[in-house]
Amino acid sequence: MAVIELHNGRPVQLSLPKRPLPVLSRREVEAMIAEGRLIVILDNYVLKVDAFIKYHPGGDKAMMHMVGRDATDEIKGLHSAEARKMMERYRIGTIEGRWKNFVPPIQGGKFRPAAVGDEEPEDARPKEIAASSGSSRSSSPTAVFDTDESKSGLRVRGSMAASVSSVSSIDDQQQQPEKAFDGMAHLDVLTKKEILLDLDKYPSLEPQVQEEIVHKYRLLYEKLMAERLFDCNYSAYAIEGTRYLALATLTLVFLKWQWYTLSALCLGGLWHQLVFTAHDAGHMGITHNLHADTVIGIIIADFIGGLSIGWWKRNHNVHHIVTNSPEHDPDIEHLPFFAVSHRFLGSLRSTYYDHIMHYDAFAKVLIKVQHYTYYLILLFGRFNLYRLSWMYLILGQGPRKGPAAWHRYLEIAGTAFFWYWFGYLMVYKSIDTNWHRFVFVMVSHMVTAPLHVQITLSHFAMSTADLGEDESFPQKMLRTTMDVDCPTWLDWFHGGLQFQAIHHLFPRMPRHNLRRAQSLVQEFCDEVGVPYALYGFVDGNKTVIGRLAEVSRQARILAKCQESIMGGELGHGHAHAH
């Protein structure tokens, strides 16, 4: 018996196992995870992926966040049918009925070994989530945030969320004098308010509601496949290639004429544009072949841009799975420079970087003014990407065994080549003075700042609340991601990043097809009652700045709470001394 699925217009046979597999209970799966096994659920099959994690081309961290969970939609969104067929070898059993997710060990989930007993563990979700999961929605299913009509709807609700949260938290503290000056209690109240606002805005977390969302999401996926929106439009890349060639030519011509600033502008523009194609390659959205797309990505990112595509894939896959989670998503973990959630003020531990993100004295200074320094700091964003790329390659954080192991060595060669042509031939040999070299380097790198704005724009203003393990993949992606409304003729500038909500729902869809999918996604959102966040570029930026300003305000409140505590302790000490 076999299942036939269309992949890029051609049928792929997903064969079922020849030998019968045992039906495993949730308790048996829990016991295996307690023993250190890496167990995920895919299409009602239980997979033990211990042997595969060190070979996974997309990195180990992404897999660790799926342990104990039904990862069907995440795996299907990020992997081809051929990759899923390969995963069949890791099947060890099946499940019956709806799977109830565990909190993965990397996220702090606790698991009982088999000897402890067979009773089901208590729900790992916070009690306020479980108690409020049935709360009604008061927002319209779909909202275009820049229209006048929406000002009384979801847009107003979004702008009010932070103020309601902060005002209510202070009111609660006034009702509880013993906690009035407890800074951590203040942050806890803010977290609860954020969760309650999301529970009120989005569909219920009741199983039947989330199952219906997943069912219709999968129907939408099949419809997009049938309309061939996962097929790459290669003619669009011919136009892209012409643009890249023009920018590269102008870079060299202006450099030869010693028009260094214009040359640097063109080079920065080239890097900015090439990132979009590297992003496509990282998601296997061009040829849909792992090695072919990886080589394309390495040529663009490493050889031409000096950045590691392997680092990006490891980072980005985690981002796609735990989007906007302060403890887990590296794409929003930017202390000491930025904090997009009040929770960062509590010195969280990053599971991606494996260290505490200290809200120290330096961070306290920067966070208080982050809404003023946002664009300034993003001007230097590319330099940080070099650092992260070198760490990934030097420390060997990618797969060292298996079919993707050789990618690391090609990347090392690519980054070495980059610094040869850019650092030696272009900057050192072709530019006459140190001042001109400095200006050339800074201008070429600062020109890429719009890219960092585009990347952060889709997430910084969206929810960072954790609604627990019962929230479905499509709802979470739409709750934590927004799209940017722009005219068709500007698509070349945004490079698909204006459709991040759609991209998070269907990561392997080539970016040139995302606009065609938008109307279908909006219909899906209307049908299931999940708000679809759509901002204009200017209003989106205003919303991001507003979020940063609100966290800055909370940082000042926290500082006052801590000063009051210190003052109270000192006064208490003086009273005892006398």
Side-chain angles (χ1 to χ4, degrees), residues 107-121:
Q107 297 179 16
K110 304 298 182 182
F111 297 85
R112 300 165 302 157
V116 173
D118 293 328
E119 71 277 3
E120 284 293 331

Side-chain angles (χ1 to χ4, degrees), residues 49-60 63 86 89-90 290-291 398-405 407:
V49 296
D50 306 50
F52 179 61
I53 190 168
K54 58 186 175 183
Y55 303 113
H56 185 220
D60 55 340
M63 293 181 66
M86 179 274 297
R89 70 184 70 173
Y90 300 105
L290 169 64
H291 297 300
R400 296 195 179 192
K401 298 180 179 180
H407 296 169

Side-chain angles (χ1 to χ4, degrees), residues 224 227-229 512-520:
L224 296 173
E227 295 193 13
R228 304 179 68 88
L229 291 184
H512 301 105
N513 297 336
L514 292 173
R515 182 173 288 277
R516 291 171 57 195
Q518 186 178 40
S519 60
L520 296 175

Side-chain angles (χ1 to χ4, degrees), residues 185-332:
H186 173 69
L187 297 182
D188 289 342
V189 169
L190 291 177
T191 299
K192 292 176 182 178
K193 293 297 181 182
E194 185 179 20
I195 290 171
L196 291 173
L197 284 169
D198 275 5
L199 288 172
D200 184 59
K201 185 187 302 183
Y202 290 88
S204 164
L205 297 180
E206 292 297 326
Q208 62 271 23
V209 176
Q210 294 300 311
E211 284 178 3
E212 182 67 11
I213 293 174
V214 169
H215 172 67
K216 292 181 178 179
Y217 165 73
R218 293 175 181 177
L219 291 178
L220 174 61
Y221 177 88
E222 293 174 3
K223 184 175 183 179
L224 296 173
M225 290 287 290
E227 295 193 13
R228 304 179 68 88
L229 291 184
F230 286 87
D231 293 358
C232 183
N233 180 4
Y234 292 109
S235 61
Y237 280 107
I239 299 173
E240 300 276 352
T242 303
R243 187 182 306 119
Y244 303 157
L245 182 60
L247 287 169
T249 301
L250 289 174
T251 298
L252 296 175
V253 168
F254 290 144
L255 184 65
K256 183 180 177 66
W257 292 349
Q258 296 185 343
W259 294 1
Y260 299 132
T261 301
L262 286 176
S263 177
L265 286 169
C266 292
L267 179 60
L270 175 63
W271 285 336
H272 174 268
Q273 289 291 297
L274 282 172
V275 164
F276 304 141
T277 300
H279 180 260
D280 297 343
H283 280 294
M284 293 198 306
I286 300 177
T287 70
H288 311 294
N289 176 275
L290 169 64
H291 297 300
D293 278 350
T294 299
V295 169
I296 293 172
I298 290 174
I299 291 172
I300 294 173
D302 295 79
F303 281 80
I304 301 178
L307 305 176
S308 168
I309 193 69
W311 158 77
W312 176 86
K313 288 167 69 173
R314 182 175 187 258
N315 178 291
H316 198 66
N317 286 337
V318 173
H319 164 68
H320 268 273
I321 289 173
V322 287
T323 308
N324 262 28
S325 171
E327 299 96 335
H328 312 302
D329 182 1
D331 274 15
I332 64 168

